[in-house]
Amino acid sequence: MIVDERDELIERAARSLAGLPPVNPVAVMHIMSAVRARRAQRPSLVAQFAGWMRVPSLSMASASMLAAATLVIGFVSGGAFNGAASSVARVTGARGAMPLVQVADVPAESRAVAVPMVFDAASAHTVSIVGDFNGWDPTTTPMQRFGADGPWTATVLAKPGRHLYALMVDGVLTVDPRAPKANDKDYGGDASVLMVTKP
Amino acid sequence: MMTRTSLALTCSAAALIVLAASSAGAQQDARLALIRDDATRDVVRAQLVSASSRGLPADPFMSKALEGVAKKATSKSIRAAMAALEKRLRIASSALAPTPSVDELAAGADALSVGVPEKSLKQLRTAAPGRSIAVELGVLTELVARGVPAKQASKLVLDLVARGASGVQLTALGRDVQGDVAAGLKPDVALDLRGRNVLSLLPPPPTVSNVNVRPR
């Protein structure tokens, strides 16, 4: 009986899905690319923990001093924490408030915007985007080929402002032919310019 | 006398603080690991320590170093680029005081690199004290990079900010000027024409005469 009901449910779901309009594969690619870019920019658990502790740039020396100070305060107060329950409550409260604090700290005008990028290179085997928005790391934003010999696409997350970037095509740095160029005074050569407007 | 529980909690808190610090350091080390050349990595690490001691953010330096690595620059070039960046960031930090964001500092340093004067950064900060001016600085940088005289570009961007031009309008202005220059128009002429066009769409600036007028 239960199996029959489940079969019926699955059949209904399948009928509903069959009735949906076809999905644009380019749109899917852009969405997946944005998800990948967001995932790549998401801080690691340890970084999140450091953010929670509100000491993102604490040096080892400073941390040791803080730890020592904490120990001294603990000894001097002689049990001022009043048991585990209150301390745990404090910690839980701080952790629970973290996402809200972080969102509130970033004004809308400074939040990263998803920017779709397209590049034509029929003979390329691997293409990735490197720029100041991803720390010039060629592993962060690989481009995906659309179809067998179609254009390469990716979505980068960049904050509003002017960004310099380049394309890494089969390991060789190349400027984007579709973008304006900027002369690089520090290292020479050209870079491509991406202007991102406030959302 | 301290109870066992409070001692355990104190020790845990101390351990957590040390762990947090080493984790933050480890994250930075992870990015340093992208630099395969030992000499370059040492140069970058030393520069990061120097920047940190001056209260400058690490991100623009890491980005500049990794840009050098991507461009296969020598450790000498990377050192020079990072030193030049530190100088620009210090000027930008002073000009965009009191509390510039990392994005604003990076944008300010970029603007200085193409020849935008420090005074223009200060004026932009004064014109928009409570919000990010990273886009405004980016447009100004791009205009000067396209060959528009820095003084003319600074004055127009300041006027536009004072008149409440949006980020979209400013970015479109930069794109239009770039298109005009690519089509053969002189940069100063292109900015003059395009700038007038945008200004005509904005409300007039408040003047002393119409602000202080009392109804009779």
Side-chain angles (χ1 to χ4, degrees), chain A residues 41-181:
Chain A
Q41 289 206 349
R42 190 184 299 161
S44 64
L45 278 177
V46 284
Q48 285 184 21
F49 180 76
W52 164 64
M53 293 295 286
R54 313 292 291 172
V55 284
S57 57
L58 201 64
S59 68
M60 281 299 289
S62 313
S64 305
M65 284 181 68
L66 255 176
T70 312
L71 278 169
V72 169
I73 290 166
F75 275 109
V76 169
S77 60
F81 287 162
N82 267 337
S86 63
S87 297
V88 170
R90 268 184 228 165
V91 170
T92 310
R95 179 175 280 175
M98 182 192 70
L100 291 176
V101 171
Q102 283 188 341
V103 169
D105 281 350
V106 182
E109 61 188 13
S110 300
R111 285 182 203 151
V113 177
V115 184
M117 312 281 277
V118 180
F119 176 59
D120 287 314
S123 58
H125 295 98
T126 59
V127 181
S128 63
I129 302 174
V130 287
D132 53 23
F133 39 76
N134 66 6
W136 291 87
D137 180 358
T139 62
T140 304
T141 319
M143 297 188 93
Q144 308 289 323
R145 173 164 262 172
F146 181 63
D149 55 355
W152 295 82
T153 64
T155 301
V156 297
L157 284 177
K159 290 183 178 176
R162 178 178 183 261
H163 300 276
L164 298 182
Y165 72 101
L167 298 160
M168 188 77 87
V169 183
D170 293 334
V172 179
L173 220 54
T174 312
V175 290
D176 186 345
R178 293 172 186 241
K181 290 171 192 60

Side-chain angles (χ1 to χ4, degrees), chain A residues 19-31:
Chain A
L20 289 173
V23 179
N24 179 356
V26 177
V28 171
M29 190 174 286
H30 280 159
I31 291 166

Side-chain angles (χ1 to χ4, degrees), chain B residues 119-168:
Chain B
K119 187 181 163 191
S120 299
L121 268 59
K122 283 183 182 169
Q123 288 172 326
L124 264 177
R125 168 84 298 158
T126 308
R131 62 180 176 84
S132 172
I133 52 169
V135 170
E136 289 78 358
L137 287 168
V139 171
L140 178 55
T141 304
E142 197 50 23
L143 288 172
V144 176
R146 296 291 145 228
V148 176
K151 197 175 172 184
Q152 185 194 1
S154 299
K155 185 180 180 310
L156 180 71
V157 171
L158 261 172
D159 283 351
L160 290 168
V161 170
R163 299 268 294 269
S166 68
V168 174

Side-chain angles (χ1 to χ4, degrees), chain B:
Chain B
M1 193 68 185
M2 195 176 199
T3 64
R4 273 188 193 176
T5 315
S6 57
L7 176 64
L9 283 169
T10 310
C11 289
S12 306
L16 284 173
I17 291 169
V18 173
L19 179 68
S22 59
S23 303
Q27 193 191 20
Q28 196 176 78
D29 283 348
R31 290 171 74 187
L32 279 171
L34 292 168
I35 304 167
R36 291 185 185 162
D37 177 49
D38 289 345
T40 307
R41 201 183 314 117
D42 289 345
V43 163
V44 174
R45 192 179 281 125
Q47 188 66 50
L48 287 173
V49 170
S50 162
S52 173
S53 69
R54 293 171 193 274
L56 295 171
D59 268 3
F61 289 100
M62 273 311 295
S63 187
K64 181 56 72 181
L66 292 174
E67 180 187 353
V69 172
K71 292 180 174 176
K72 300 190 187 335
T74 61
S75 60
K76 192 180 169 188
S77 300
I78 292 175
R79 185 203 300 265
M82 290 180 79
L85 177 66
E86 182 178 333
K87 192 178 170 189
R88 294 195 298 265
L89 282 170
R90 281 164 61 189
I91 297 171
S93 176
S94 160
L96 300 171
T99 51
S101 66
V102 176
D103 301 332
E104 286 177 316
L105 282 179
D110 271 355
L112 292 168
S113 76
V114 298
V116 173
E118 183 185 352
K119 187 181 163 191
S120 299
L121 268 59
K122 283 183 182 169
Q123 288 172 326
L124 264 177
R125 168 84 298 158
T126 308
R131 62 180 176 84
S132 172
I133 52 169
V135 170
E136 289 78 358
L137 287 168
V139 171
L140 178 55
T141 304
E142 197 50 23
L143 288 172
V144 176
R146 296 291 145 228
V148 176
K151 197 175 172 184
Q152 185 194 1
S154 299
K155 185 180 180 310
L156 180 71
V157 171
L158 261 172
D159 283 351
L160 290 168
V161 170
R163 299 268 294 269
S166 68
V168 174
Q169 285 173 316
L170 285 165
T171 311
L173 169 82
R175 195 175 49 236
D176 290 343
V177 170
Q178 177 216 322
D180 291 344
V181 172
L185 212 59
K186 284 177 69 181
D188 56 334
V189 176
L191 182 69
D192 190 38
L193 289 172
R194 297 290 183 177
R196 269 193 244 176
N197 188 28
V198 181
L199 283 168
S200 70
L201 302 171
L202 299 170
T207 58
V208 177
S209 58
N210 64 23
V211 165
N212 292 331
V213 167
R214 290 183 183 175
R216 292 184 180 178

